[in-house]
Amino acid sequence: MIKKYLLSLAFIGIMVVGCYTSTTQGGLVGENSRQLLLVSSEQMDQSANQAYMQTLTDAKTKNSLNTDIVLTKRVKVIADRIIKQVGTFRKDALNWNWQVNVIDQDILNAWCMPGGKIAVYSGLIKRLNLNDAQLAAVLGHEIAHALREHSREQASNDKMKNLGIFAIAKVTGLDSSTTNLIELATRYTIMLPFSRAHETQADHIGTELMARAGYDPKEAVRVWVKMSKLSKQSTPEILSTHPSNASRIADLKNIANKVMPLYLTTKN
């Protein structure tokens, strides 16, 4: 009996190890650590598509979707420049069905769902008075979360621990493909905060993306300085659990210096 139990544990261990992979190439910043991915990319993408469509529908109902033509065009132009650089980290992302929309709400947030579904809230741009390079830093950061599939990674960790919607699925007898499909992407992209490690990875990849796109990487530092100052008054949604403390800003300064040659190359 003990032998069978040990063999079962060994088999499970082999299966779990087989689920570790890296979703990205390292780039200059070297972000290609291995990740536990138990939830399929197809499932996350399907969830993201449905959740994103619901978000856009809700915004249309409130008459807040892309209402500022100039601002919407500005965001899309900057996002397009960033998206053209994603092949450095993963070639397949160049063929994602990227979508970029601006929601006119006084919310300090932006996000990118799996598969390249981006939403930027006007409050983030207006209240922080972001210039183009600073907006590129925000977009690069959020796109980096999608490239590294952080939502899928967090969902996989919960699945392994039978937490959240996966625990509900087990109790109710429903498999994960029928359990709150829309909630899967919403929960792990918007509602739940990313880990400190995920935020650091997104900072690094996002700063390299903006530099390759021709935006001064030092502006990424200035964004988080602005965020840090604002967080002393209240906690912005985008910084719900990871305010821009001194160590994060110092790390960004180092990364900005590291990728600066990439930016300078675009100016030649």
Side-chain angles (χ1 to χ4, degrees):
M1 187 69 179
I2 294 177
K3 185 177 180 180
K4 286 184 178 181
Y5 177 71
L6 292 175
L7 286 173
S8 296
L9 286 179
F11 177 74
I12 292 172
I14 292 171
M15 291 296 290
V16 170
V17 170
C19 293
Y20 275 91
T21 186
S22 177
T23 55
T24 58
Q25 300 297 313
L28 183 61
V29 294
E31 291 295 349
N32 60 349
S33 58
R34 293 169 68 81
Q35 304 161 272
L36 176 63
L37 300 172
L38 299 175
V39 177
S40 72
S41 59
E42 292 78 14
Q43 188 176 15
M44 286 301 299
D45 287 348
Q46 185 181 357
S47 173
N49 287 335
Q50 293 188 26
Y52 193 67
M53 289 305 299
Q54 179 174 293
T55 298
L56 298 187
T57 298
D58 291 344
K60 286 180 181 177
T61 301
K62 297 174 183 176
N63 197 30
S64 62
L65 182 65
N66 299 323
T67 55
D68 187 329
I69 297 175
V70 175
L71 182 61
T72 300
K73 181 179 180 180
R74 180 185 169 210
V75 172
K76 289 187 175 183
V77 167
I78 296 171
D80 185 59
R81 285 177 59 174
I82 299 292
I83 291 166
K84 287 178 180 177
Q85 305 304 319
V86 299
T88 297
F89 293 96
R90 51 184 302 172
K91 298 292 185 183
D92 66 311
L94 290 169
N95 298 319
W96 286 359
N97 180 24
W98 291 91
Q99 296 183 42
V100 183
N101 286 277
V102 177
I103 299 175
D104 187 19
Q105 293 182 18
D106 189 25
I107 296 176
L108 289 162
N109 206 7
W111 42 262
C112 182
M113 283 188 173
K117 306 298 184 290
I118 300 170
V120 179
Y121 293 84
S122 60
L124 179 71
I125 302 170
K126 294 176 180 178
R127 289 175 62 185
L128 290 180
N129 192 27
L130 299 179
N131 61 31
D132 285 359
Q134 291 167 358
L135 181 52
V138 172
L139 288 167
H141 178 94
E142 299 306 326
I143 287 171
H145 280 307
L147 296 178
R148 281 293 293 176
E149 297 191 56
H150 286 153
S151 298
R152 182 180 168 206
E153 187 176 359
Q154 292 206 130
S156 296
N157 287 329
D158 274 8
K159 185 173 185 178
M160 184 175 67
K161 300 173 185 176
N162 280 324
L163 297 176
I165 61 177
F166 301 102
I168 296 172
K170 186 175 182 179
V171 171
T172 59
L174 298 173
D175 62 47
S176 57
S177 65
T178 60
T179 305
N180 300 323
L181 187 59
I182 292 179
E183 185 186 350
L184 189 61
T186 303
R187 178 182 178 87
Y188 293 104
T189 303
I190 305 173
M191 295 175 63
L192 291 181
F194 289 114
S195 70
R196 186 173 297 277
H198 287 167
E199 290 296 328
T200 299
Q201 289 175 350
D203 282 348
H204 292 183
I205 293 174
T207 305
E208 179 168 341
L209 285 172
M210 69 179 294
R212 289 183 179 276
Y215 295 104
D216 186 349
K218 290 183 180 178
E219 292 295 331
V221 179
R222 297 186 179 102
V223 170
W224 298 107
V225 169
K226 286 183 177 183
M227 292 280 197
S228 182
K229 290 179 179 178
L230 196 61
S231 68
K232 292 177 181 178
Q233 303 169 21
S234 61
T235 304
E237 289 83 353
I238 202 170
L239 295 176
S240 56
T241 61
H242 297 286
S244 297
N245 52 29
S247 62
R248 185 174 190 177
I249 292 172
D251 180 58
L252 271 170
K253 287 180 180 178
N254 290 332
I255 291 298
N257 289 332
K258 187 173 186 177
V259 302
M260 181 59 72
L262 297 175
Y263 166 66
L264 296 177
T265 298
T266 68
K267 301 305 171 185
N268 294 333

